[in-house]
Amino acid sequence: MVALDVFSAAIKFLRRHLLHTLEQRAAGIRETDIGWVLTVPAIWDDLARQFMREAAVRSGIAGDQLLIALEPGMALLYCNHLPIEKLKSEAGVQGFGAFSKGSKYLIRDCRSKFLFKYP
């Protein structure tokens, strides 16, 4: 099979599943309200990133609603916005991820040369 067809079909499945779930829950969210973010490994070159963008557009995602982002950067954003109260209440999670105010942390993508720090 052609790789572009495989990636496009996988993204299309995920897109349709999300839209179906939103419809079932009567969330009142239209597809035009959604901003899609696809993460890619930081080691991917521009050609590989363009491949992912084309696969997403072929799957039905509008190009102006799509952001291709690097995985380590998105991991940093996720850690920066973790719900601390929830993490502290979950069993076995204390001590990992439960950042107190002023904490510093480091995200290392072991597959690439990129290193992200906050703050």
Side-chain angles (χ1 to χ4, degrees):
M1 293 187 74
V2 177
L4 187 59
D5 294 340
V6 173
F7 275 75
S8 180
I11 295 167
K12 181 182 258 182
F13 172 82
L14 293 171
R15 181 181 140 267
R16 285 183 175 170
H17 180 69
L18 173 68
L19 295 173
H20 176 74
T21 301
L22 291 172
E23 183 180 303
Q24 293 297 315
R25 294 186 181 175
I29 298 173
R30 300 175 310 219
E31 188 167 4
T32 55
D33 297 330
I34 299 172
W36 300 89
V37 179
L38 280 175
T39 61
V40 297
I43 61 172
W44 279 19
D45 62 15
D46 289 340
L47 187 60
R49 294 174 195 174
Q50 181 58 36
F51 168 88
M52 186 60 80
R53 174 173 289 283
E54 187 173 334
V57 170
R58 279 190 181 195
S59 77
I61 296 175
D64 62 342
Q65 291 176 257
L66 176 63
L67 174 67
I68 303 295
L70 300 180
E71 290 170 352
M74 293 299 98
L76 178 69
L77 286 175
Y78 176 77
C79 289
N80 195 33
H81 296 287
L82 285 173
I84 293 172
E85 294 78 24
K86 181 180 177 189
L87 286 172
K88 287 182 179 177
S89 67
E90 290 179 1
V93 180
Q94 286 184 339
F96 178 77
F99 303 114
S100 59
K101 191 171 185 173
S103 294
K104 293 183 180 187
Y105 51 93
L106 175 80
I107 299 210
R108 175 70 169 120
D109 183 347
C110 294
R111 296 175 298 173
S112 73
K113 60 185 176 192
F114 295 98
L115 188 66
F116 297 85
K117 296 190 295 186
Y118 181 84

